């Protein structure tokens, strides 16, 4: 049954000014349409160029349900191709990452391709003389993703030919990536320490909403924060804290703290939470690192970079950035009720090892499948996924601080507990989903 | 409990399955660590690569205390575990210390769902006047880097 595919008005009606309909989270048809219209038509984070440092290095990754291949070229460029042999469709590589050497060779019939996907050779080629192979898609080599943007080593793709340019799509929120990269005195990050990968049985949008939700920590994380506070009781506020305590205790901050941290929304669903300060603002100072940053950027700029530590910046629809600690989360939707969440840590060239330790420690404590903080979040997302099936009320409320004037503004700076940051995501969602542009 | 470190390993797992977490925590030395490397058996240390868990006694205490909190929402309903151990093998003995390997299956059940993990537990134990204490419990999971659902108790 298709209720939505040919009814853009029905899709648009799922997102009202101050609330959204449960089908957004429950419908498999909506999920399929999201893959086609949202994830294929917008700029989606694929990976980081440091994952493929040498020519022939590759990483496989799915975007919008399509298997892709990110490959480092002999000239240093990063290309993205569909992971599908031009002959029968075999995946050219099935490892998550590796080095393919100087060319790809299909394991099925040994068709070969250059690293940029151009056809190289095939066995028994006399058999193709007089056929149409060369003229058709299968003779052209691998299908290439044409719209790839490598922004300060962050690799994004837009699978559809239609859609906004990279800069127009993200705009000012790219400052979140700039800030994270600029925290390296040498302006260079590399992925480090592997990726923590979680399967959560909920819709991907719930997870993304929660990244902008500051009203939940007090109640959701009470068990972890109360335990941490009790363990730390008796210490003076100025006592140096173990890194784990430094990172966990701020989750117990009160409503006023989260409200005052402030938030900002941008067009196309992007946002920055914690424009004034955040739970990451009070990590111990590192004088030698600050000196290196001043030498690299000048005193004023260095102070500006280091003082900016928003809680989360969302590059809609799938990337969430924390400049401090140097960590990102990537949201990979698997089904209407199943989402893969990845937590990545970065090493910043020229910065002390402690920064990398902070990123790994934060991810381990907060985003590992064995996290002590995330269990309660995950339980609640999975509970929502079930609870929404209840009748009686088909709507999810996003009323907090709604102001009709927000509908006419592109960029708004507001209080940290305003559900505007979520409403803004759904307005971008509705805009993308109403379009029938095919990839 | 006898002085055989192999019996200690079995006792340690049984305490977890009986949810006797305070008794379990008391088995750790003051500087003891609990470690689940993200690369499994291939991982050299907990610093150059991340881990699913790398915890000292302070953090283990935090986990145990959290589980007791009535607002530990993810424990409604509560999780339960079952360790299925193969016989422990002594890897090395030096002075008052011993290292053992114990292949295991670990099942964690909660409500309608249950997860199954497998791997090898590697215990580094030190003899003290009050018996064996854990210097390090390392759990090398098979396929540790795969996407996992929440693991709420102690493997």
């Amino acid at each position: 049954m298709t209720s939505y595919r040919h009814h853009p008005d029905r899709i648009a009606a799922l997102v009202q000014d101050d609330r959204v309909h449960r089908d957004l989270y429950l419908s498999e048809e909506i999920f399929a349409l999201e893959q086609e219209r949202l994830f294929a038509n917008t700029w989606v984070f694929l990976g980081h160029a440091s994952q493929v440092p040498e020519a022939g290095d590759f990483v496989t990754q799915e975007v919008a349900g399509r298997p892709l291949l990110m490959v480092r070229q002999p000239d240093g460029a990063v290309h993205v191709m569909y992971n599908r042999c031009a002959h029968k469709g075999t995946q050219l590589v099935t490892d998550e990452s590796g080095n393919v050497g100087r060319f790809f060779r299909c394991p099925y019939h040994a068709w070969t391709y250059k690293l940029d996907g151009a056809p190289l050779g095939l066995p028994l080629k006399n058999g193709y003389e007089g056929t149409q192979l060369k003229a058709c898609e299968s003779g052209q080599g691998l299908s290439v993703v044409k719209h790839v943007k490598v922004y300060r080593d962050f690799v994004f793709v837009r699978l559809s030919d239609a859609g906004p340019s990279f800069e127009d799509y993200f705009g000012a929120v790219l400052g979140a990536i700039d800030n994270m990269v600029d925290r390296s005195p040498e302006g260079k990050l590399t992925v480090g320490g592997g990726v923590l990968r979680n399967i959560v049985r909920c819709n991907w949008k719930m997870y993304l909403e929660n990244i902008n939700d500051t009203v939940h920590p007090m109640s959701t994380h009470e068990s972890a924060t109360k335990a941490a506070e009790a363990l730390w009781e008796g210490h003076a506020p100025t006592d140096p804290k173990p890194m784990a305590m430094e990172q966990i205790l701020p989750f117990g901050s009160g409503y006023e703290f989260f409200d005052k941290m402030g938030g900002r929304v941008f067009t196309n669903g992007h946002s920055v939470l914690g424009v004034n300060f955040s739970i990451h603002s009070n990590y111990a100072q590192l004088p030698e690192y600050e000196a290196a940053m001043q030498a690299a950027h000048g005193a004023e700029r260095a102070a500006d970079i280091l003082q900016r530590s928003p809680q989360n910046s969302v590059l809609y629809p799938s990337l969430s950035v924390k400049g401090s600690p140097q960590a990102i989360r990537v949201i990979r939707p698997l089904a209407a009720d199943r989402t893969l969440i990845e937590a990545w840590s970065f090493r910043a060239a020229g910065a002390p090892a402690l920064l990398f330790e902070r990123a790994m420690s934060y991810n381990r404590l907060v985003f590992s499948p064995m996290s002590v903080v995330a269990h309660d979040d995950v339980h609640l997302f999975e509970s929502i996924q079930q609870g929404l099936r209840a009748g009686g009320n088909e709507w999810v409320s996003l009323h907090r601080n709604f102001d009709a004037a927000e509908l006419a503004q592109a960029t708004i700076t507001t209080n940290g507990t305003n559900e505007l940051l979520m409403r803004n995501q759904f307005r971008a969602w509705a805009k993308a989903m109403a379009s029938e542009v095919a990839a | 409990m006898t002085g055989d470190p192999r019996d200690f390993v079995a006792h340690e797992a049984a305490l977890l399955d009986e949810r006797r977490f305070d008794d379990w925590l008391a088995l750790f030395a003051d500087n003891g660590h609990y470690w689940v490397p993200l690369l499994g058996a291939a991982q050299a240390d907990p610093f150059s690569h991340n881990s699913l868990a790398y915890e000292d006694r302070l953090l283990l205490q935090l986990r145990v205390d959290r589980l007791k909190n009535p607002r530990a929402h993810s424990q409604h309903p509560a999780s339960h575990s079952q360790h299925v151990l193969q016989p422990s093998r002594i890897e090395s003995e030096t002075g008052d210390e011993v290292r053992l390997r114990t292949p295991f299956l670990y099942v964690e059940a909660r409500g309608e769902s249950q997860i199954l993990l497998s791997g090898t537990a590697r215990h580094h134990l030190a003899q003290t006047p009050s018996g064996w204490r854990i210097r390090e419990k390392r759990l090398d999971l098979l396929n540790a880097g795969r996407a996992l659902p929440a693991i709420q108790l102690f493997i």
Side-chain angles (χ1 to χ4, degrees), chain A residues 193 199 360 368 370 376 379, chain B residues 50 52 63 66 74 110 148:
Chain A
I199 294 283
M360 288 209 300
S368 164
M370 296 189 73
D376 291 317
H379 164 74
Chain B
N50 214 347
L52 291 165
R63 275 182 188 279
R66 176 191 165 266
S74 73
R110 177 179 175 245
L148 291 164

Side-chain angles (χ1 to χ4, degrees), chain A residues 209-286:
Chain A
E209 278 172 76
N210 186 71
I211 287 175
N212 278 333
D213 186 301
T214 54
V215 182
H216 81 283
M218 287 268 289
S219 43
T220 299
H221 298 305
E222 188 177 330
S223 64
T225 57
K226 289 288 180 234
E229 282 161 14
L231 277 173
W232 196 245
E233 209 173 75
H235 290 266
T238 49
D239 282 358
K241 296 184 184 79
M243 190 182 285
M245 280 290 161
E246 196 176 48
Q247 294 181 324
I248 290 179
L249 286 168
F251 281 84
S253 303
Y255 291 123
E256 195 185 344
F257 175 91
F258 287 108
D259 196 55
K260 286 191 170 159
M261 72 164 56
R264 187 171 297 148
V265 297
F266 304 92
T267 189
N268 295 328
H270 317 305
S271 54
V272 175
L273 174 66
V275 287
N276 303 318
F277 54 82
S278 80
I279 60 170
H280 307 305
S281 296
N282 290 317
Y283 294 160
Q285 306 285 299
L286 305 169

Side-chain angles (χ1 to χ4, degrees), chain A residues 280-393:
Chain A
H280 307 305
S281 296
N282 290 317
Y283 294 160
Q285 306 285 299
L286 305 169
E288 278 180 29
Y289 169 55
E290 281 159 36
M293 286 289 286
Q294 286 165 8
H297 298 289
E300 198 180 327
R301 174 96 181 99
D304 186 47
I305 293 164
L306 294 175
Q307 276 160 19
R308 254 183 66 93
S309 52
Q311 187 143 325
N312 290 305
S313 300
V314 171
L315 280 75
Y316 191 78
S318 64
L319 176 63
S320 169
V321 173
K322 285 180 186 291
S324 166
Q326 307 233 307
I328 62 171
R329 270 174 292 170
V330 188
I331 289 119
R332 315 261 192 202
L334 302 176
D337 60 356
R338 213 156 52 92
T339 304
L340 170 63
I341 307 295
E342 301 173 344
W344 304 39
S345 318
F346 289 91
R347 281 193 175 91
L354 189 79
L355 252 65
F356 179 53
E357 260 180 67
R358 257 184 199 160
M360 288 209 300
S361 161
Y362 191 87
N363 277 339
R364 192 164 65 234
L365 291 166
V366 183
F367 302 134
S368 164
M370 296 189 73
S371 156
V372 72
V373 176
H375 290 323
D376 291 317
D377 283 314
V378 168
H379 164 74
L380 291 164
F381 304 152
E382 296 183 351
S383 165
I384 294 168
Q385 192 73 32
Q386 299 308 317
L388 286 178
R389 291 157 55 218
N393 175 6

Side-chain angles (χ1 to χ4, degrees), chain A residues 130-158:
Chain A
T131 75
Q132 289 299 308
L133 176 69
K134 267 195 180 155
C136 81
E137 290 90 335
S138 299
Q140 313 288 310
L142 304 180
S143 301
V144 171
V145 176
K146 284 179 276 184
H147 310 284
V148 178
K149 175 73 182 183
V150 183
Y151 184 80
R152 305 199 72 177
D153 281 349
F154 286 70
V155 182
F156 293 82
V157 294
R158 195 191 68 211

